[in-house]
């Protein structure tokens, strides 16, 4: 069972303490669609914890003792998706730690995951039954807008993949591997699509409407 988040159930029977099941929103969209930007705004208004798979991988890459540093580094530069065994462990640990520190923190925005079939299967293997996926928040945006935003971000981000060469590969990975995952969830009626090509505030106005209703 995940973490130490506890829920008290009062009844005449002896006090029973149950773990709260994590409630998850997957956040997907092309590179630079604005996932991170919108997640930062969501957590200011709603009680969610933002976990970015990309951020967790970059953190793991920079951890001196990590046995995966080099692998992660090369996958990121090549715009490829890191094997899920690594990513799911980082996500699981981050969720557990969050829930351990505060029993009320059981709602998660999982940003940039699941990005391919391997990610999806890894989630099913480790998390099925242990967390509920409420819906997929999908930021829809043209490839050109995505690329332009990442190149602009690249001027100050220091990211090794915000350059033209990596971006071509990231867009290919997105189209070939991530879009089919969105399509799968779409068939289940689980995708909430937001037009992400507009300004940050315009996009967030739609996000807010959605979270007021379903968050
Ligand atoms: P993602 O997490 O999807 O890769 P980010 O949230 O990091 O995207 O945004 C990518 C870049 O685009 C950042 O520099 C960010 O400031 C900028 N950005 C995000 N949303 C918008 C928007 N709606 N309009 C213009 N620029 C944006
Ligand atoms: O989401 P973000 O743009 O931060 O992801 C950067 C990179 O991290 C991806 O292009 C990919 O190489 C890696 N990543 C991954 N698996 C994920 C999320 C990110 O391999 N689920
Ligand atoms: Mg991001």
């Amino acid at each position: 069972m995940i973490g130490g988040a506890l829920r008290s159930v009062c009844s005449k029977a002896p006090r029973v303490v149950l773990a709260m099941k994590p409630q998850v929103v997957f956040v997907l969209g092309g590179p630079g669609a604005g996932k991170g930007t919108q997640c930062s705004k969501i957590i200011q208004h709603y009680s969610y914890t933002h976990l970015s798979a990309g951020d967790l991988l970059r953190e793991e890459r920079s951890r001196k003792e990590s046995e995966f540093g080099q692998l992660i580094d090369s996958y990121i530069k090549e715009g490829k998706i890191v094997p899920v065994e690594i990513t799911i462990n980082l996500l699981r640990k981050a969720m557990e730690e969050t829930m351990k520190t505060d029993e009320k923190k059981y709602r998660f925005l999982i940003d940039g995951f699941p990005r391919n079939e391997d990610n999806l299967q890894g989630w099913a293997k480790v998390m099925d039954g242990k967390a509920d996926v409420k819906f997929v928040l999908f930021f829809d945006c043209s490839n050109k807008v995505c690329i332009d935003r990442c190149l602009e971000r690249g001027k100050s981000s220091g990211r090794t993949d915000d350059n033209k060469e990596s971006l071509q590969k990231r867009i290919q990975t997105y189209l070939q591997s991530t879009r089919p995952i969105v399509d799968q969830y779409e068939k289940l009626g689980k995708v909430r699509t937001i037009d992400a090509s507009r300004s940050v505030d315009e996009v967030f106005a739609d996000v807010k409407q959605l979270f007021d209703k379903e968050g």
Side-chain angles (χ1 to χ4, degrees):
M1 197 159 285
I2 261 203
L6 302 175
R7 175 161 53 110
S8 304
V9 176
C10 299
S11 71
K12 283 182 187 142
R15 212 170 125 98
V16 182
V17 183
L18 299 173
M20 203 67 188
K21 212 184 209 186
Q23 301 293 302
V24 169
V25 172
F26 287 144
V27 183
L28 292 175
K35 301 181 292 296
T37 304
Q38 294 296 325
C39 286
S40 303
K41 292 179 81 71
I42 294 169
I43 62 170
Q44 288 168 26
H45 292 79
Y46 304 92
S47 78
Y48 276 84
T49 299
H50 174 208
L51 297 177
S52 154
D55 285 349
L56 289 169
L57 287 165
R58 283 183 286 273
E59 207 178 289
E60 177 66 18
R61 175 181 63 177
S62 61
R63 205 168 56 83
K64 271 203 220 89
E65 319 84 71
S66 173
E67 54 182 312
F68 305 120
Q70 276 195 335
L71 182 146
I72 294 171
D73 192 50
S74 71
Y75 271 70
I76 286 181
K77 268 186 215 141
E78 290 300 311
K80 293 194 303 188
I81 309 303
V82 171
V84 72
E85 290 75 12
I86 297 174
T87 316
I88 198 75
N89 264 323
L90 296 172
L91 284 170
R92 186 182 49 77
K93 265 193 251 163
M95 289 169 79
E96 283 179 2
E97 276 160 22
T98 305
M99 293 176 74
K100 239 189 267 170
T101 58
D102 185 345
E103 67 189 50
K104 291 192 288 297
K105 290 190 168 177
Y106 60 91
R107 293 189 187 88
F108 295 93
L109 299 170
I110 301 198
D111 160 3
F113 186 96
R115 256 180 156 109
N116 65 2
E117 197 61 46
D118 178 55
N119 274 191
L120 196 58
Q121 282 175 17
W123 177 270
K125 195 167 155 194
V126 176
M127 299 302 290
D128 254 10
K130 299 200 178 93
D132 293 332
V133 178
K134 285 156 64 115
F135 56 86
V136 175
L137 177 59
F138 174 51
F139 289 111
D140 192 15
C141 197
S142 73
N143 296 339
K144 182 176 181 326
V145 170
C146 282
I147 291 170
D148 288 348
R149 285 185 187 167
C150 287
L151 289 176
E152 190 57 35
R153 180 176 63 188
K155 291 177 185 169
S156 59
S157 66
R159 283 179 54 155
T160 54
D161 58 349
D162 278 344
N163 56 72
K164 271 191 181 148
E165 205 189 346
S166 294
L167 274 163
Q168 288 305 329
K169 296 174 182 168
R170 290 167 69 194
I171 292 284
Q172 282 314 310
T173 300
Y174 168 66
L175 295 174
Q176 283 167 12
S177 305
T178 310
R179 279 308 302 247
I181 302 300
V182 177
D183 294 344
Q184 281 189 44
Y185 278 109
E186 188 81 73
K187 288 194 186 110
L188 301 172
K190 283 210 155 192
V191 178
R192 308 291 178 267
T193 301
I194 306 274
D195 174 3
S197 62
R198 300 162 300 159
S199 72
V200 171
D201 289 345
E202 282 171 317
V203 175
F204 188 64
D206 280 7
V207 169
K208 207 161 176 302
Q209 240 181 23
L210 172 67
F211 275 76
D212 283 343
K213 215 166 67 186
E214 297 193 58

